[in-house]
Amino acid sequence: MQPMEKVKVIEIKKSVFAENDKDADNLRKELRTKGVYLLNLMSSPGSGKTTTLIQTINRLKDKIRVAVMEADIDSDVDAVKIKEATGIPSIQLHTGGMCHLDAEMTRQGLDNVALEDADLVVLENVGNLVCPAEFDTGAVRNAMILSVPEGDDKPLKYPLMFSVCDLVLINKIDVMPYFDFDLERCKSYIRQRNPKAQVIPICAKTGEGVDAFVQWLLNEVNSWKTN
Amino acid sequence: MHELGVVFYIIKDVKAVAEENHVDHVSSVVMDIGEVSTVVPHLLTDCWRWAADKEEMLKGCELKINTIPAVTYCDNCKKEYETVKFGKTCPHCNSNNTWLLRGNEVEINSIVV
């Protein structure tokens, strides 16, 4: 007779994200020591992340040193575009099919950035309103772009994304008259999800509102370095 | 949508615990998944099967999912209600001053060896 197989239950009771949250906190601490501010920028595909970055960086690059990490499932079109349009260092990360970046992947990306020559590193996350919200990248702040054609109801449909963001840029406000987009309604939906989130309406194409975002970044970087 | 990423995290944690306990094979993993956690249970089990079978220690290991119902608490009237049915607005007093009490968990409960 075979001896009866013993069954044993080992309790774990641990969040799947706990390990990543710990990595992210460690990364933030290291960035603080190095005086580097990391911004995690998220949005849907096509909301204007890259165009917004180009406009913003061209106004920032004489004031502070900026570098960009582009994360995509494939291609390097965004990294090339940023480098050509702004002249700042820009690297491309491939997520290997994954729909988001975690703290470990962010750290691997940062290993390829000359951090001693950077005050601000912008991480352009994979275009997606669901998954990136779950994973703390180790960034100092999370920001997102919602573009007018996507609709003012998005804070209701993707609540987690809006609740983790410190700043929401509402882009493509020049086409507001052609879409049924109510800026005040959108702001109230955002406040319902996240009373602390700041909202800045912009148009990356015409440059409207971009100065307000530039000022927000300068204040943020300055206080991260001095506090 | 990020179930595969979640599966890789589960595998990493489970392997670490199994090694700590000197276990060479795990027969099932029990997960607590909240109703509003953004993780879709059947996608999680599909990704699990694909990834777990590539690990010697987890070949054939079953992923069992406990669903945790989502409950929201209202700060205004101090009552609880079902999140999925009523969303952000309290059905008792219509307030939006509410927050999720539970239901967004993505936790490894235990492993069976």
Side-chain angles (χ1 to χ4, degrees), chain A residues 68-124:
Chain A
V68 171
M69 291 200 297
E70 293 286 337
D72 282 295
I73 288 174
D74 203 355
S75 103
D76 61 357
V77 286
D78 282 350
V80 171
K81 211 194 278 177
I82 295 266
K83 203 174 278 176
E84 283 176 359
T86 67
I88 65 146
S90 152
I91 65 160
Q92 182 76 48
L93 305 178
H94 284 159
T95 59
M98 297 282 244
C99 47
H100 63 273
L101 278 187
D102 61 16
E104 180 57 35
M105 292 187 256
T106 305
R107 178 189 294 279
Q108 286 172 17
L110 286 172
D111 285 345
N112 296 294
V113 176
L115 291 180
E116 62 281 9
D117 297 325
D119 302 304
L120 165 68
V121 178
V122 181
L123 167 62
E124 192 182 323

Side-chain angles (χ1 to χ4, degrees), chain A:
Chain A
M1 220 175 88
Q2 291 279 323
M4 229 172 66
E5 224 181 306
K6 271 197 222 147
V7 172
K8 189 177 150 201
V9 177
I10 302 173
E11 275 220 354
I12 300 184
K13 290 274 181 204
K14 181 183 162 197
S15 164
V16 166
F17 303 114
E19 204 62 34
N20 183 58
D21 291 347
K22 209 167 71 192
D23 288 348
D25 281 337
N26 288 338
L27 182 56
R28 247 187 308 276
K29 274 185 208 135
E30 284 169 39
L31 290 171
R32 163 82 82 179
T33 318
K34 289 179 179 150
V36 176
Y37 184 97
L38 178 65
L39 180 75
N40 176 25
L41 183 62
M42 300 177 280
S43 82
S44 313
S47 65
K49 280 196 294 298
T50 309
T51 310
T52 302
L53 276 183
I54 290 170
Q55 280 276 3
T56 307
I57 291 164
N58 281 334
R59 289 158 203 236
L60 263 180
K61 65 184 180 191
D62 295 333
K63 300 183 177 80
I64 55 174
R65 299 164 303 166
V66 190
V68 171
M69 291 200 297
E70 293 286 337
D72 282 295
I73 288 174
D74 203 355
S75 103
D76 61 357
V77 286
D78 282 350
V80 171
K81 211 194 278 177
I82 295 266
K83 203 174 278 176
E84 283 176 359
T86 67
I88 65 146
S90 152
I91 65 160
Q92 182 76 48
L93 305 178
H94 284 159
T95 59
M98 297 282 244
C99 47
H100 63 273
L101 278 187
D102 61 16
E104 180 57 35
M105 292 187 256
T106 305
R107 178 189 294 279
Q108 286 172 17
L110 286 172
D111 285 345
N112 296 294
V113 176
L115 291 180
E116 62 281 9
D117 297 325
D119 302 304
L120 165 68
V121 178
V122 181
L123 167 62
E124 192 182 323
N125 214 313
V126 182
N128 178 333
L129 288 186
V130 183
C131 316
E134 287 274 22
F135 295 89
D136 188 341
T137 56
V140 181
R141 294 271 184 263
N142 292 322
M144 70 163 295
I145 302 178
L146 172 68
S147 65
V148 164
E150 293 170 65
D152 55 25
D153 57 356
K154 290 300 163 289
L156 302 181
K157 292 186 171 182
Y158 301 92
L160 184 64
M161 175 56 73
F162 287 85
S163 66
V164 301
C165 279
D166 306 285
L167 174 72
V168 180
L169 298 173
I170 299 182
N171 192 21
K172 308 188 188 180
I173 52 170
D174 57 328
V175 296
M176 205 127 59
Y178 304 99
F179 290 88
D180 192 15
F181 190 102
D182 183 328
L183 187 59
E184 288 314 310
R185 187 164 57 201
C186 187
K187 283 183 181 171
S188 86
Y189 290 155
I190 295 169
R191 273 195 297 271
Q192 270 183 34
R193 297 296 158 201
N194 182 352
K196 290 189 198 118
Q198 278 198 51
V199 178
I200 303 179
I202 63 165
C203 174
K205 203 174 163 194
T206 63
E208 189 182 348
V210 175
D211 284 337
F213 178 41
V214 167
Q215 198 49 54
W216 183 87
L217 280 168
L218 286 172
N219 294 344
E220 281 286 314
V221 172
N222 192 34
S223 80
W224 179 249
K225 279 175 165 290
T226 50
N227 287 329

